[in-house]
Amino acid sequence: MANQIVLLATIIAMTCSLVIAFEPSPLQDFCIADTTSSVIRVNGLPCLDSKLAQAEHFSFGGLHIPGNTSNPLGITVTPVNVAQIPGLNTLGISLARIDYAPGGVTPPHTHPRATEILTVVKGKLYVGFVTSNPENKLISKIIKKGDVFVFPVGLVHFQKNLGSGTAISQSSLSSQNPGVITIANSVFGPNPSISDDVLAKAFQVDKSIISTLQAQF
């Protein structure tokens, strides 16, 4: 009997942890983000009075505009989250357009609050993600126009344009504000810097290499 109680408690705990790992379901039709409010909320932004709702709170008109890829990475991300569409507040979804120059790379990064499903609109991409410890397995594929690929929540992933021309993809993310943690920026570019002693030990390289990498960020 005691073992059955322990098993039941374990199952309940696991179920609850899965439920709270994602954004909660809204308790109203919508909650337009009130960006002028100074009230701090744990989840989402304060709600504008629903009587003030307008179509503009639920639309965005810039996703057709090509992004400027004249940068070292050769990519530009056009986000469509709660900052662009206040009506997304509490609804748990967002979009992003990514433009790639030839050879452009979206560097390894994670979205701590969202699973991403990417659709190739134009061109050919090499995409992939890495599973968590201890396997650290690379799951990757070359995808082309009309193909779809999924990046599970929190896992490190990347994209690269393999074509000789520009490429475009569009992503849907399971959060109104998925967040982005770019691995290189986080490790080599925080303010203040992570100690080069720590990084040299972690990467098993000389401190001079760490200093060179930190200088890039």
Side-chain angles (χ1 to χ4, degrees), residues 113-148:
R113 296 180 289 276
T115 290
E116 175 181 355
I117 181 166
L118 178 146
T119 303
V120 180
V121 177
K122 176 184 176 183
K124 181 170 63 174
L125 301 177
Y126 171 52
V127 301
F129 65 86
V130 180
T131 64
S132 55
N133 295 340
E135 290 82 7
N136 291 319
K137 181 179 180 180
L138 173 63
I139 308 291
S140 63
K141 187 174 183 178
I142 296 174
I143 57 176
K144 58 185 184 304
K145 182 178 178 179
D147 291 343
V148 173

Side-chain angles (χ1 to χ4, degrees), residues 32 142 171:
I32 298 169
I142 296 174
S171 293

Side-chain angles (χ1 to χ4, degrees), residues 30-114:
F30 52 79
C31 170
I32 298 169
D34 183 0
T35 57
T36 64
S37 175
S38 60
V39 176
I40 298 175
R41 297 293 177 90
V42 173
N43 234 336
L45 298 168
C47 300
L48 191 69
D49 187 338
S50 61
K51 296 183 181 65
L52 301 176
Q54 302 290 331
E56 288 71 20
H57 293 134
F58 300 91
S59 66
F60 174 77
L63 209 59
H64 65 291
I65 301 173
N68 182 2
T69 57
S70 299
N71 55 68
L73 294 174
I75 63 107
T76 293
V77 179
T78 303
V80 186
N81 55 41
V82 69
Q84 288 75 39
I85 303 181
L88 282 177
N89 193 33
T90 74
L91 297 185
I93 192 170
S94 59
L95 292 172
R97 168 180 169 145
I98 308 176
D99 290 89
Y100 310 78
V105 171
T106 303
H109 64 284
T110 73
H111 302 293
R113 296 180 289 276

